[in-house]
Amino acid sequence: YYELGEIDECYKELRRLLEYLGTERKVQQDLIKYTRIFCDSYNLLLKLKENPTKKNLNNLQFELSKENITGRRWIKLKMEEIKNHL
């Protein structure tokens, strides 16, 4: 949905994933941890896409610098695309 520009759908899917992680007990804790970190970063990317401000850019850059994030390369690529339009 992100590539199609359907940001509302992105938020819906993100919410569904987080709800699933909160209720599913068969998923390994490490996977839950890293998926939640990805979700936090993805949420910040969506905010940046909706409202491309320096503040949102800085928040995402800070989040990406904190931990080893699944999907970091893709998020950074999308962040750079938005940054180039600021």
Side-chain angles (χ1 to χ4, degrees):
Y1 292 111
Y2 181 88
E3 300 294 343
L4 297 173
E6 297 181 18
I7 302 302
D8 289 338
E9 290 299 319
C10 292
Y11 280 118
K12 286 179 188 176
E13 290 300 321
L14 188 59
R15 210 171 6 234
R16 286 183 192 130
L17 177 58
L18 288 169
E19 287 171 5
Y20 173 78
L21 291 175
T23 59
E24 184 57 46
R25 298 293 172 228
K26 295 179 182 177
V27 179
Q28 295 178 358
Q29 290 302 310
D30 286 344
L31 181 59
I32 291 173
K33 175 186 172 188
Y34 291 117
T35 303
R36 286 189 181 178
I37 293 169
F38 169 80
C39 288
D40 290 344
S41 299
Y42 186 59
N43 187 49
L44 289 171
L45 177 66
L46 294 174
K47 286 182 181 181
L48 178 64
K49 183 149 177 89
E50 284 185 313
N51 187 13
T53 64
K54 279 286 192 191
K55 179 184 176 191
N56 287 338
L57 177 62
N58 290 338
N59 289 342
L60 180 55
Q61 287 173 329
F62 178 74
E63 184 72 24
L64 292 174
S65 71
K66 288 194 318 190
E67 305 225 17
N68 187 14
I69 297 170
T70 303
R72 177 184 299 206
R73 187 180 308 154
W74 181 80
I75 291 175
K76 278 188 169 185
L77 175 69
K78 297 305 166 186
M79 179 184 71
E80 289 299 321
E81 288 175 4
I82 295 168
K83 184 178 170 182
N84 291 335
H85 288 56
L86 282 179

